[in-house]
Amino acid sequence: MSTNFKAGHALTGEVDGTGMRVALVCGRFNDLITNRLLDGAMAGLAIHGVREDDVTVVWVPGAFEIPLATKELAMTGRYDAVIALGAVIRGDTAHFDYVAGQCAEGILRSGLDTRLPIVFGVLTTENLEQALVRSEPEGDNKGEESARTAIEMADLLRRIRRGD
Ligand code: INI
């Protein structure tokens, strides 16, 4: 029979983070937005059964600094997943492209290098309004979505490695 690694519970599709340890890295730049993402992520983790005591939150100056922190946290071996939260909002210069691009590339690389799920919960938007829409306290929230992704990927890797 073939093996089919479905996301979450076979019937409901729900993911279960019970017993998982998760680290969050938040950029302080645009912290009006990143605090909203953090609230969404904490709520998402709680909904899926992750205990508050099993969550570590680390702040860094901006999105550019996120990959170094995600990699360092991943390398401790203490976490099942790491979530990166940031807000890069386009200004008048090319700075946006460097910060957003390098942040995304660095986060991807830190996951591949450490073989741990590192979730890209970094908003890259044209303006503040778009960032607000994607960080709603009750509604669309990239932080909450990232929490689910972290649990799903941690569970998937666990099952692939166990071979069940
Ligand atoms: N950092 C962000 O997280 N978001 C931004 O929109 C941003 N902009 O626009 O400049 C930003 N810049 C700071 C950057 O992440 C570093 O902290 C800084 O360059 C020092 O390395």
Side-chain angles (χ1 to χ4, degrees), residues 112-159:
L112 296 176
D113 287 352
T114 59
R115 301 174 61 219
L116 200 78
I118 303 194
V119 179
F120 186 60
V122 178
L123 293 177
T124 56
T125 64
E126 293 298 315
N127 51 50
L128 179 63
E129 287 64 37
Q130 288 181 351
L132 286 166
V133 167
R134 288 159 180 78
S135 60
E136 290 284 355
E138 310 281 340
D140 189 13
N141 187 299
K142 190 73 177 170
E144 186 175 349
E145 178 201 312
S146 298
R148 190 194 192 283
T149 301
I151 294 164
E152 180 178 333
M153 288 302 294
D155 178 61
L156 177 66
L157 291 193
R158 197 182 278 174
R159 287 190 288 142

Side-chain angles (χ1 to χ4, degrees), residues 21-23 69-83 106-120 149-150 153-155 157-158 161:
R21 290 159 305 166
V22 178
T70 55
K71 183 161 184 180
E72 206 61 33
L73 286 160
M75 285 173 61
T76 65
R78 289 200 292 265
Y79 303 102
D80 298 291
V82 179
I83 300 172
I107 288 170
L108 173 66
R109 188 144 50 89
S110 63
L112 296 176
D113 287 352
T114 59
R115 301 174 61 219
L116 200 78
I118 303 194
V119 179
F120 186 60
T149 301
M153 288 302 294
D155 178 61
L157 291 193
R158 197 182 278 174
R161 287 168 188 162

